[in-house]
Amino acid sequence: MAPSSEHESESMKKIITNLRAYAAPKLEGGTLGMTFKSPCLFQIKFFHQKQENLNIPKIRACVLTDITVDYTPSGEWSTFRNGHPVSVRLALSFKEMEIIHRQFINDGY
């Protein structure tokens, strides 16, 4: 991601923060103790010309298992006046929640 202004860099930070939060389990507490709730589920679809692209395999419901943020993708540290980096490389890894078996593959997954 390469924001073109300080305003866009603030939006980029919010996107990264939200993705990190959605990848983490939620801690909930009550009188009986604390428990972890599962991370958020993602439903990923690929589109081509405003229609779902069925030329590549579909993805079942999944969770974000890893998020890697490289704040120096060009090898140089550079920021806007607000301290936000001028470019970021974001790598996301997802894990489908169901085992993909032959019937799923026949159905386009």
Side-chain angles (χ1 to χ4, degrees), residues 74-97:
S74 65
E76 235 177 79
W77 174 250
S78 183
T79 67
F80 291 101
R81 289 182 308 213
N82 63 4
H84 293 240
V86 298
S87 64
V88 169
R89 179 178 294 127
L90 188 62
L92 306 174
S93 296
F94 292 91
K95 177 74 175 169
E96 290 172 303
M97 297 303 296

